[in-house]
Amino acid sequence: MHPCVHLQVIVTSVLALCVLPPTAFAAMPQETTSDASRKEKNGEVPNSSLTEKQLNFFETRIRPVLVEHCYSCHNSADQQDSALALDHRTATMRGGSGGPIIVAGDPAASRLIDILKHDIEGFEMPEDGPKLDAIVISDFETWIRMGAPDPRNIPPTAEQLAATISWEAQRERRKQWWSFQPIAEVPTPSGKGNPVDLFIRSQLAEVNLKHAPRAKPVVLIRRLFLTLTGLPPTRQQLLQWQERYESGQSNSETTDQLIDTLLSSKHFGERWTRHWLDWIRYAESHGSEGDPAIENAWVYRDYLIRALNDDIPYDTLVREHIAGDLLPEPRINTKLGINESIIGPSHWRMVFHGFAPTDALDEKVRFIDDQINVFSKAFLGLTVSCARCHDHKFDAISQKDYYALFGILASCRPARRAIETSEVQQLNVIELRALKQQIRTGVAEDWLESLPTLGPRIRDLKRNAEQPAGSLSHMVNRLKIAEQENRLEKEWRNIFSKPLPTQAKPNDAGSEKNWKFDSEAAANNWYTHGIGLKTAPNPAGDFAVLVEGGRVLNAIYPAGIYTHSLSEKHGGRLTSRDFKVKPNQEVWIRAIGNAGAMARYVVEDYPRNGTVYPVTTLKPTWTWHRFDMSYWKDDNAHIEVVTAKDAPLLTRNEGRSWFGVREVRLMQKGSPAPGNPPEYLQTILPADKKTPATFEQVQAALTQALRNAVTAWSKGTISDAQADLLNQSIQTGLLTNNLKSLPKAALFVQEYRRLENQIKTLTRVPGLDETSGRTQPLFIRGNHKKPAELVPRRFLEAFDETPYATAQSGRMELAQDMLREENPLTRRVIVNRIWHHLFGKGLSQTPDNFGRMGRPPTHPELLDWLANRFEQDHWSLKSLIRLIVSSETWQQSSTPSRKSIEIDPNNTFLSHANVRRIEAEAIRDSLLVATGQLDRNMFGSSVSGNTPRRSIYVKVIRNRLDPLLRVFDFPEPFTTTGRRDETNVPAQSLTMMNDPQVNRYADSLANTLSNVQEEASTESKITHLFQTLFSRDPNPREIKTTKSFLKASQTALTQQLASAKELQEQIAEIASKRDAIISPVRKSLIEKAKQNQPNLKVDLKPIARWEFNSGLNDTMQNLNGKASGNARVKDGQLVIKPNGYVTTEPLKSSLTAKTLEAWVSVSDLNQRGGGVITIQTPDGIVFDSIVFAEQAPREWLAGSNGFQRTSPFSGVQEKAAADQFVQFAIAYHPDGRIVGYRNGQRYGKPYRTKPPVTYLPGKAIISFGVRHLPASGSRLFHGKIDRAALYDRALSDGEIAASYSDSGVYVTEQQIAESMSPQQRSTLRQLQESESTAQKQLDALGPLPDQINERQAWLDLTKTMLTLKEFIYVR
Amino acid sequence: MSDNASSLVTSRRRLLQQASSGFGGTALAGLLAEQSSHGSDDSKTGGANGHHPAKAKHVIFCYMSGGVSHVDSFDPKPKLKELDGTSMPVSVERTQFNNNGNIMASPFKFQQWGESGLEISDIFPNIGKQADELAVIRSLTSPVNEHAQGNFLMHSGFPFMGHPTAGAWCSYGLGSANKNLPAYVVLQSGGAVPPHGGVALFSNGFLPAQHQGSILKADKEEAIRNIRGVDGLQAQRRRLELARVLDGQFLENATDDPQVEAAIANFETAFRMQTAVPELCDISDETAETQQLYGLDSQDAALASYGRQCLLARRLLQRGVRFIELSCLTRGIGAGGAANPWDQHSALEKGHRAMATQVDQPIAALIQDLKRCGLLDETLIVWAGEFGRTPFSQGSNGRDHNPFGFSAWLCGGGVKGGTVHGATDELGYHAVQDTCQVYDVWATALHQLGINHEKLTYRHGGRDFRLTDVHGNVLHNILA
């Protein structure tokens, strides 16, 4: 159900209301002249006892409120509510069932006031509405204090009442709201300077405030860079502009130059595009289960960047957003060869789509609601979708308005559009068409010449397994066999006795609708989109030329609709009109296609697939595809056949994709299936219909048929049956299709191929298809199951209720209405949005809502003046921005005066600049700029947040938004977000403190500082750091603080390192003490066990073990291997040569703690980085591996993706493994401890890292000989592996030792514990406790480097500096 | 700065307290403060200023993602046994897979439990023992038939992303009682992932971000994203000191901007969280008996892992967290994947048995444990999935989605145990008596928290929104 709302409270700041000039922008609508004249007719004679002042007060302050909020329930015609009527004086004073509510002269005693203040529970009025503004309630108090003067002597008649509370009357009253008023012709205030300043100053003067002084250049530089380009200045830029400010020219001149520089920076478009993307809830996926991609959504993002950098006028962009695909003169980008305008409508498609909903119409209503909601908020600042269930509660928007717009969008379908110009799309089309004719002529001539020798080839015709019964080769072979068996004539009659296909009617029994695409008329009412499709079907005999290989023709086709007549790169989308699904209806589609071409029926325009939304991939042979639609009885559906890139949503990345369709039928379920009759047969029957007596006569008949067919083909008069015959003849080789055997066509074919090769694969973007305009029924209370009266397509009735006279959707008309002079919203809204992004607060602080529930502008005259100026400046956003940022108002210091703090704490009057937190993208981009890593390349498909590209290029996947951006209030792409939250949550601080990405930035910053050569002194390095991060020099106090921090840091780190070493020694000592207790116990247990069971084999129960005795099989029978490249089993060993490796089947259960173990020899000790045994995801993205010599030569390493779980063991250099096998094992403990072992002993020192990765069942494999997949370069290992094993736990030291010694005996920790004396156990427990205490202390120290040098102190500093608020705020 | 000026700054600060910091304080104070300031378009307009005395302080939401079959769990239908294998005697609504078979009797036995004699199937033997604490709703309905929309609806009252979820509303209404922990925590373990719809199911929507659900991985050292200090506490403390000084100077330059000031305070909250969260997750101080009660020693890794969530839930609410959601672990049976483990379109018997085993002992333990530490009265447990399943089979041994009537239950927090609200028809297909929707569940939950659901509103995009949209009736008959 649609949300309508019960509004409880409206909180009003008296201060903000005081700002409004009461006359022009009173909270309540003013009375209109029509109200005044109606009054006279009502017989309301002004009461002579009322003064003019009283009368005036009632008419301007009281009556409009009563009419708007009370009359509809409390009237004398229909006194249902408490029998209270408020539409004339007597009743008003009498009150309701609970007695009087007004005591004239005594507001405190009047219950009405308590009711309006919501002080009486259960009587909060107006019902379902917000509490009236405090100022309105105080008017009522004033009025009662005046004695409740009221000129309404007699009750209105029912007609008068109806007229007063009718929607039309209500709408007219609501149209008085400021934002619906025409934009006022506000004169530019007199005085010198920027007009913006003149407006602001005049209001400041009214409250006795003054502008703050201009901000210092250094503040302005950072503010301008971040505001205009979203990037802080680099240190070089900062110094360069500081120098210019000091060069002697006036500061304001320099500032103007800086503004111009930044406005023409390519980064300007990137910055402001992101704002725009917030307005239209830009997303690259549709959300919900599956979260499917919105393919090429990013093309729209790039379109905006180009447009804003080129300062394309805003009106042009609005027009393009609504109907850019329909413009008669679109905006062509000749450099890129694209039609920019056609990209604009992409935003319509950035809706949320459910997953296979069972109510398809409900889904359609929802996504159109999403479209209306976003479009109306973004461009009109109106909440039109509030009127889905009823007339808008507060604004002049009717429920019909909603369905008028709904009809426009429901007349369009989700689609994809190619963006290239028609020149690009049409490239070589004329030439190819001409060449095709020449190829046809040439091939025909060659064929005719070959016909005399056809006879023997017919006899030799083998039946091809792919040729079905009834095919030409099948028929010929039947006759051949029949001839041998002397029953040729009988067989002939068998074949030809059935009615031949053209003699019979199409098998349309049960067909309710049958489209056979053999004439222009048949394709009437079908929609074709895409360069591959013409409006009329292709006649029989059309063919496709193969663009490579020895064969020439792909096929010769019957009449039908084809996308690849000239090139498979020419895509297309063929759709039917909508039809209502009848009970038990099926659709049958006879189609052919390849490379991801698809056919389906589409219910209520739902573009995704699902169990009850089937889609069929077409095959390169003619097939009838059946779809049972009975599930969707009574819903609207249409049929859709598409090439791979042209599906509205289910696109596939196939540049060459094609389809053909001959027939579509709607049939009753259970009707006999339409067949694929052998059409060619009729062409073979001789004219005299004589039955051949010999096979030679069959040959002659067939030859004659071919001659006729080739001639007809050449002349263009071929029939479907003849086309079938020709096609079968080339597919079976009866007619040659070989380039070398077709000399008359060969040259043309080669030229054809050359030209076809030049054709570009087109870029398709999300868009809309026009179908035919339809009139939408209004849904009663928004319920799509209750359609009511039809509402014509049109604009909002507050501006123009004339229905659109168009057979199309009406988007063109809508675009015009958005921009027409009488519509003041479009201009006011954008001007306010720009102001908002420049100041952090709009002139109206509700940029998405200019309705009654929004906030009126603080500076209405300025807003209107700017709106006019904007139009005069040809809707130039850059001019508008330049005008505003050039003002003193914008360039003020952010330091408020004491007076301003006192009387204007919200800075409504703009007596100073606002301190602002920068947006998520700017924070991330600042990190990249500060560390010198920013990749300034523009445009292209979206990237992961781990790359150094600007944030505007980071993927926006609804279900997986970038966590770093999200934490700083990147909005969920769900609705228009004109004003982002600026929240403050601990997750933000945690990110800046601990996020690995941020820490890498800190690290690289520390490196930069160590590399600063010319500025050797600590002071200058600190200065460098402040300039880089905060775009300013540090003050002496800061230098002092920072310097002493560096010193203290180094001291502390040194101490920490010392303590760490001490603790480590302590731990080692404890370990050896422990060992001293455990070892003898173990030894004696082993001895004992050996005596008892001399032949015991060790069994550590690996989950997989590879012996490499007889192949790559896992002896536990789980994970059998498969060799790639040069890897093979020889003499019981796996021998891996360069480029060889082995992968196994996927794991069957999940694995977290684990041990990898292998006996390995290294063929060349100087090789680097190869993996011996690896567990990994099949794509190799996540892995853990025994790696040889990756970070340091000849050292074993626990390799992992991005070194996430890797630290050096710092073990000894490997020397022995070249000549012998060594056991190497790595145990991954659940707590993140990683222990390496070589030949049964610990290798180097263990370390602790993140907890081990959990590899999921079916999502992980083992590999040998490669660090991780894909296998390439230094990831590959060469050497031999004798055996290997995988364990589902971290083996203990003892277990590893047992495995190494293969002594046959292994004792568990449990056994050892049980064999100890109580005293030993107690000592051991104490040792364990002290070890754990020491370990905790060690952990608290954190990871420390081996040595402490200056760089570590700098790193300590940079990590701190990135957490400082100044980094993410701008003054 | 003169006294006068500093008092001015203070008053300005008070006025702008919307730039709130961390999780601190309850919203009551915040609401009052905000009502005196000017609300903008997106602002609180209603509030939970103690609408009535609260019965409960916390909510634990045991979300059974994927859709538990009600006719196999909490809604016994003997008729199905009688008609097993026959075709549905009533017309069948559209199903998501359109692979509808005949009536399928429950493979599980139902039995009466406790004094109330509440009937529950034998896959929940432990929860069965707590039957006298449960109020089962057997007449829930949902307007949507697919997972993501169903999940959004159950969490936020709207079938798509962008709206605040129940936990966010509770956080907004009541705040957190612990300034070092968020008010709304989503527990995961054993590789559990958010249900279909993703993390937006834990979203604050248009409410301020401190109300969003924080995902806490019960079995990971980095339990909350970036909670692990990279450099040990000593180094962090040293940095915090420097930051305090330098931030202080910036604050001075920014003329004590309240937002900046709040951000600085926040930094310290984050610092404290680094200790508070590991302390919370360290269950070594729980007795072995307690750990066993929750099944932490179980051979069944999924059970043990879910048990850990349940135990952490108790530890969280002891620390004042308002709203805790638990996440089921995948068993990957019959189309039930990681995001929707209860979704048995096939192999329902096996799948439901495995899933029930996973949650039965731990949830029962949670009820028992809360009871014995006196917390059950102030904690409302809500157990629900996004829809039920069809009384007829899908294929041979599964069931398709059924949003027309399904079960959920409430427990603790002032709920009358051993009661049943509403009923489905004799086939368990449609709710026929006291039909209700998730709005009624949340209206009831808010009611127990002392909040009138119609008055907990937030203005966004020109409307006042509620968790219960324009619906919601408090289910008084299941309240004590």
Side-chain angles (χ1 to χ4, degrees), chain A residues 4-5 7 9 13 355 366 386 611 631 635 846 849 972 974 984 986 994-995 1038 1056 1356 1359-1360 1365, chain B residues 38 41 45 94-96 146 148-149 161 203 226 231 238-239 247 249 262 266 274 461-464 470:
Chain A
C4 37
V5 188
L7 300 160
V9 190
S13 154
F355 173 73
R366 198 174 286 145
C386 287
T611 28
Y631 182 91
D635 272 300
T846 53
N849 190 358
E972 274 176 357
F974 143 75
N984 172 33
N994 295 334
D995 192 88
E1038 287 166 329
Q1056 272 172 259
D1356 213 0
K1359 281 184 178 173
T1360 318
K1365 303 302 156 287
Chain B
H38 188 99
D41 183 48
T45 52
R94 287 173 179 174
T95 55
Q96 218 197 13
E146 57 119 320
Q149 291 184 352
M161 78 190 307
S203 173
N226 292 322
D231 285 320
R238 197 165 60 231
R239 286 180 204 148
D247 272 342
Q249 291 183 26
N266 202 303
Q274 295 181 120
R463 292 192 216 149
D464 280 5
V470 296

Side-chain angles (χ1 to χ4, degrees), chain A residues 585 660 1180 1240:
Chain A
Q585 201 167 38

Side-chain angles (χ1 to χ4, degrees), chain B residues 272-303:
Chain B
R272 287 194 304 270
M273 270 178 83
Q274 295 181 120
T275 328
V277 171
E279 187 267 333
L280 163 83
C281 297
D282 179 6
I283 56 166
S284 58
D285 57 344
E286 299 284 346
T287 65
E289 187 269 342
T290 302
Q291 300 201 20
Q292 278 161 17
L293 180 69
Y294 283 90
L296 295 189
D297 59 336
S298 171
Q299 292 299 305
D300 182 334
L303 190 167

Side-chain angles (χ1 to χ4, degrees), chain A residues 1-13 16 121 124 130 288-289 352 354-356 358-360 363 366 377 383 385-386 611-612 631-633 635 846 849 853-855 894-896 898 901-902 905-906 915 917 958-959 963-964 966 969 972-975 979 981-986 989-991 993-996 999 1035 1037-1038 1041-1042 1045 1049 1052-1053 1056 1231 1249-1251 1339-1343 1356-1357 1359-1361 1363-1366 1369 1371, chain B residues 2 4-5 8-9 12 15-16 19-23 34-35 37-42 44-46 94-98 144-149 152 158-163 196-200 203-210 212 220-221 225-234 236 238-239 242-243 245-247 249-250 252-255 257 259-260 262-264 266-267 269-271 273-274 454-455 457 459-466 469-471:
Chain A
M1 283 296 99
H2 182 65
C4 37
V5 188
H6 296 259
L7 300 160
Q8 303 298 331
V9 190
I10 184 164
V11 186
T12 307
S13 154
E121 178 127 22
E124 293 91 352
S288 191
E289 182 175 346
F352 184 95
F355 173 73
T358 53
D359 186 343
E363 165 76 13
R366 198 174 286 145
K377 279 183 185 169
T383 53
S385 69
C386 287
T611 28
V612 289
Y631 182 91
W632 294 110
K633 181 172 86 75
D635 272 300
T846 53
N849 190 358
M853 296 295 269
R855 293 181 62 185
S894 62
T895 308
R898 215 196 295 165
I901 295 174
E902 187 179 351
N906 281 325
V915 177
R917 200 198 76 206
R958 276 192 158 100
N959 289 0
L964 186 104
R966 238 340 247 155
D969 302 312
E972 274 176 357
F974 143 75
T975 186
R979 192 193 59 197
D981 289 335
E982 269 179 39
T983 62
N984 172 33
V985 291
S989 300
L990 288 172
T991 301
M993 285 157 76
N994 295 334
D995 192 88
N999 275 305
N1035 62 35
R1037 208 156 54 142
E1038 287 166 329
T1041 313
T1042 315
F1045 174 82
S1049 167
L1053 281 167
Q1056 272 172 259
D1231 60 359
T1249 175
K1250 296 178 180 179
D1339 287 349
L1341 293 174
D1356 213 0
L1357 178 63
K1359 281 184 178 173
T1360 318
M1361 298 295 269
T1363 65
L1364 295 187
K1365 303 302 156 287
E1366 186 166 3
Y1369 279 82
R1371 284 196 290 141
Chain B
S2 74
N4 192 14
L8 281 176
V9 170
R12 169 165 165 259
L15 200 60
L16 294 180
S20 71
S21 157
F23 314 113
E34 281 171 33
Q35 280 176 355
S37 76
H38 188 99
S40 60
D41 183 48
D42 284 13
K44 298 171 184 181
T45 52
R94 287 173 179 174
T95 55
Q96 218 197 13
F97 282 78
N98 197 28
V144 289
N145 203 1
E146 57 119 320
H147 295 293
Q149 291 184 352
F152 279 119
F158 294 83
F160 31 74
M161 78 190 307
H163 292 270
H196 281 303
V199 290
S203 173
N204 52 300
F206 38 72
L207 295 176
Q210 72 260 34
Q212 79 190 344
K220 289 278 156 70
E221 197 178 338
R225 201 181 148 77
N226 292 322
I227 196 72
R228 247 157 50 112
V230 276
D231 285 320
L233 283 176
Q234 282 199 18
Q236 302 242 1
R238 197 165 60 231
R239 286 180 204 148
L242 176 64
V245 176
L246 294 179
D247 272 342
Q249 291 183 26
F250 176 64
E252 232 169 75
N253 287 338
T255 329
D257 185 273
Q259 240 199 340
V260 175
I264 292 171
N266 202 303
F267 188 51
T269 306
F271 179 73
M273 270 178 83
Q274 295 181 120
E454 292 188 346
K455 292 192 173 173
T457 65
R459 181 166 305 158
H460 168 72
R463 292 192 216 149
D464 280 5
F465 282 91
R466 293 175 7 204
D469 195 3
V470 296
H471 315 280

Side-chain angles (χ1 to χ4, degrees), chain B residues 367-382:
Chain B
I367 297 172
Q368 274 173 276
D369 197 18
L370 291 179
K371 216 184 325 182
R372 73 179 177 188
C373 41
L375 287 168
L376 188 61
D377 289 341
E378 59 180 57
T379 306
L380 181 69
I381 301 177
V382 179

